Each structure stands twice: as C-alpha cells, then as structure tokens.
Amino acid sequence: MERPSGPSYFQTMTQIESHAPMRSASGFDLTPPTDSQRATLEAALSPEEKRVLLAHGTEAPFCGTLLREKRAGVFCCRECGLPLFRSATKFESGTGWPSFSVPVDEAHVRAVRDDSYGMVRVETRCARCDSHQGHVFPDGPPPTRLRYCINSVSLEFVANDEPLRDPLGRGDQTALNAHAG
C-alpha cells in the first residue's frame, strides 16, 4: 500500500459528509448532546480538560497519563464517553502523545482541516460531541499508514473488564459488546 501524502491526503481526510449518520456502523448513537446535556458534560471537565477539549489546546508531550497505558481496553472521548480507539491499535510513535493507527469506527472520529500555526494539518474531533482530540498524520504503520496523535487528557481509558461510562445514557456498553472483536 502506498503511503498517502501531499494535498490529496489532506483533501481525503477533510472531505466530510454534511449530514453525518446519527448511528455509526458499529451501533453507537452519534447524535450530538443537547444544550443542557453539553452543559452538564462540560461542567464535569477539569480546567486542563476544558482547555484541550473545548479550546483546541495541546498537552505537553511525554506528560500524558495514557501515554504508557498498555492494558487491553478502549480509549473513549473524555467529554461524552464515545469509544474512539482500541488498545490493540495503539503504538509507540516516539512523539510524546498516545498514537493509534485506526479508530474503533471511522464514523467516531471527525477530520477537520487545521491551518493554525502556519501549517496545514488534520485535526481530529469526537464525532458525537465535537471535542478536540488531536491530529492525524500520514506517517503511521501499515496497513493504514495513519498516526492518530491524541492528547491523553482528551481520552479516558476503560479496561475490557470495566463498564463504559455512558453519561448521555445512549446504551454505549450494549453497542460495544455487540461490536466486540
């Protein structure tokens, strides 16, 4: 497989359907939170989580609590609890942030063109609550050749033997069990 690069990579990663499905292929409800649900979710975030998730910040490299997490499980959005990455897709990139090669379901991670800081990158956001997660780059391992570089503070880890946090009451645990692989 040829490594994606250049303008075509960024064009492909930022082509987003204007009306995303409300339910992912893996069975998760992607309907955005209501205004009152969003207020409740945001009130539960720490100041650092708010800075990264809501204001599109970045945590310092090599400081994140999930960088060295090796247990089997799933990494979920810290704000709304949507499963984003499985531990089996996590790899050591040497960049200082947790890195993943593929999402749990491509519909769970939204790609947005990011022109900040004088460079063109692809920002990743939670498809349900639109919180900032990190960025995706075309320099990952095969077969995807993608590196989802994600802030630890944007994620929460749930071990395989623990229930998912489901702050919106969307039946996330049922969907995860049905999609377990």
Side-chain angles (χ1 to χ4, degrees):
M1 175 183 233
E2 188 174 321
R3 173 183 283 186
S5 64
S8 63
Y9 160 73
F10 291 106
Q11 182 179 19
T12 300
M13 289 305 296
T14 57
Q15 288 175 341
I16 302 167
E17 300 266 337
S18 59
H19 295 76
M22 290 295 112
R23 190 162 292 282
S24 68
S26 55
F28 289 86
D29 184 346
L30 301 180
T31 306
T34 64
D35 289 344
S36 63
Q37 288 172 325
R38 186 174 301 282
T40 300
L41 294 173
E42 291 176 5
L45 299 174
S46 71
E48 176 67 358
E49 290 167 339
K50 287 179 182 178
R51 185 185 71 78
V52 174
L53 289 161
L54 308 179
H56 304 264
T58 300
E59 68 188 357
F62 301 102
C63 296
T65 59
L66 298 176
L67 183 60
R68 290 172 187 81
E69 179 60 65
K70 305 243 188 261
R71 294 177 290 165
V74 65
F75 294 85
C76 301
C77 173
R78 171 59 189 95
E79 184 173 350
C80 75
L82 181 67
L84 301 176
F85 302 97
R86 290 191 184 278
S87 58
T89 68
K90 188 172 185 274
F91 66 97
E92 177 53 52
S93 66
T95 61
W97 292 276
S99 296
F100 305 88
S101 59
V102 64
V104 164
D105 184 311
E106 288 187 20
H108 292 200
V109 179
R110 194 161 76 91
V112 178
R113 183 183 173 102
D114 177 0
D115 295 322
S116 63
Y117 303 108
M119 62 182 103
V120 177
R121 300 178 293 173
V122 178
E123 176 188 5
T124 58
R125 296 184 190 175
C126 173
R128 184 191 284 164
C129 69
D130 202 40
S131 63
H132 173 73
Q133 297 294 316
H135 291 84
V136 62
F137 302 95
D139 60 2
T144 66
R145 300 275 184 202
L146 297 175
R147 173 175 52 92
Y148 289 84
C149 189
I150 309 297
N151 293 289
S152 283
V153 74
S154 295
L155 300 170
E156 62 185 351
F157 177 75
V158 180
N160 280 347
D161 59 347
E162 297 174 4
L164 291 179
R165 182 176 68 90
D166 190 3
L168 297 172
R170 303 278 178 90
D172 287 346
Q173 186 67 51
T174 302
L176 184 68
N177 292 343
H179 188 66

